[in-house]
Amino acid sequence: MSGVTPADIDRYCEDHSSLPSETLAAIEQEARRGVQGASMVSGTLQGRLLSMFSMMIRPSLIVEIGTFTGYSALCLAEGLAPGGKVITLEKDLRLEPLIKSNLARSPYGASVDLRMGDAHELLNGIAEHPDLIFIDADKRGYASYYAAAMKMVRPGGFLLFDNVLWKGQVLDAEPDARTRSIMEFNDMVAADPRAAPPARSEAPAQSVPAAQSPAPPSLPSGAAQFRGNCASGSRRSTASSALRRRTAPHDRAARTGATPPRTA
């Protein structure tokens, strides 16, 4: 692969993946032109992957930690079950007008519930058990977000964390403090028996591990629009990690459809 750069791979993936809506494309372009920290916007590849995950799972409730411009929340909302919603949490109050404006531009915006403030405090106010939790926030807080998410996600539900390779810096011999936080988080998840890890020989950069839990709903016909999305963490090697909470033997509620009890 002499001479092949991450940008080349990005372009190839974008050429072989579904296109976002005109609204999402405009939101991304405007963010990259004029929003501080524009590199944090999910963008086409990750956005299409988030939408595909959501369409495969058909969640009734998604919780997102880290809204930024609202781009990723709108992508996740594309796969919601009828009547479903995305609760998205953002601590930067300066972004609230922009987020609300972007949500109002999309037909999926009505399914997104924006809540501003500290994520841990806001999570305590969510009584439901999400089917999917997407976390793209302060990397040094990943361990605490993981602990909170594991308590609230439904048995057999999914947790998705962004930037777990951190531009390849997780392999640095002398990582900085933020990179060490991500490395420690990755080690913690790999050792957690509540998560269902992928087979080591089969794990791609963006992996959705198998789990001992009820089968997810069948793939909706709308998911056929995805032409084998190439999004796989190629964008500057900031891959995401998806894991699924195991259904423990005592999680009878997961098999009967009853609501499991919340843990403290």
Side-chain angles (χ1 to χ4, degrees):
M1 298 217 319
S2 176
V4 176
T5 68
D8 294 330
I9 298 174
D10 280 357
R11 283 191 293 272
Y12 182 88
C13 289
E14 289 176 356
D15 288 344
H16 292 78
S17 297
S18 302
L19 296 175
S21 67
E22 292 182 1
T23 298
L24 284 174
I27 290 172
E28 178 183 1
Q29 291 169 6
E30 291 164 11
R32 296 198 185 283
R33 284 199 303 262
V35 178
Q36 185 176 3
S39 62
M40 294 189 295
V41 70
S42 294
T44 299
L45 292 181
Q46 183 171 315
R48 293 303 84 210
L49 187 64
L50 291 174
S51 179
M52 185 171 66
F53 279 168
S54 184
M55 285 192 173
M56 290 190 294
I57 299 168
R58 292 297 270 178
S60 295
L61 176 62
I62 299 173
V63 171
E64 176 187 49
I65 303 176
T67 311
F68 194 42
T69 63
Y71 185 100
S72 54
L74 291 172
C75 293
L76 290 165
E78 292 176 7
L80 288 169
K85 65 178 178 180
V86 177
I87 298 176
T88 184
L89 314 179
E90 175 57 53
K91 69 177 182 179
D92 191 342
L93 300 179
R94 296 170 299 178
L95 290 171
E96 185 173 8
L98 174 63
I99 296 169
K100 288 183 175 180
S101 174
N102 287 340
L103 295 181
R105 298 163 66 176
S106 169
Y108 295 101
S111 299
V112 179
D113 178 0
L114 171 64
R115 303 185 185 183
M116 304 297 297
D118 178 79
H120 288 291
E121 294 178 3
L122 294 171
L123 287 173
N124 289 332
I126 300 174
E128 306 100 317
H129 296 275
D131 304 291
L132 170 65
I133 301 177
F134 174 50
I135 299 170
D136 185 10
D138 175 28
K139 311 314 170 195
R140 285 167 286 197
Y142 267 21
S144 60
Y145 291 137
Y146 177 79
M150 267 295 189
K151 289 180 180 179
M152 67 186 304
V153 70
R154 69 163 174 82
F158 296 83
L159 307 182
L160 179 62
F161 288 79
D162 197 16
N163 303 119
V164 295
L165 297 185
W166 202 233
K167 303 179 183 179
Q169 295 177 55
V170 290
L171 298 178
D172 286 353
E174 298 181 0
D176 60 22
R178 184 176 297 180
T179 304
R180 282 197 302 273
S181 296
I182 295 175
M183 294 166 66
E184 291 166 2
F185 165 76
N186 291 339
D187 291 341
M188 179 187 69
V189 172
D192 189 347
R194 297 173 297 172
R200 297 298 183 189
S201 61
E202 298 175 357
Q206 290 253 16
S207 58
V208 183
Q212 297 176 5
S213 57
S218 58
L219 189 67
S221 59
Q225 67 175 290
F226 290 93
R227 298 179 282 115
N229 277 309
C230 288
S232 61
S234 65
R235 184 174 295 278
R236 295 176 297 281
S237 299
T238 55
S240 299
S241 175
L243 55 131
R244 194 172 187 183
R245 176 181 164 184
R246 286 188 184 276
T247 301
H250 63 275
D251 281 326
R252 194 174 303 276
R255 297 190 292 274
T256 63
T259 302
R262 290 290 297 272
T263 56

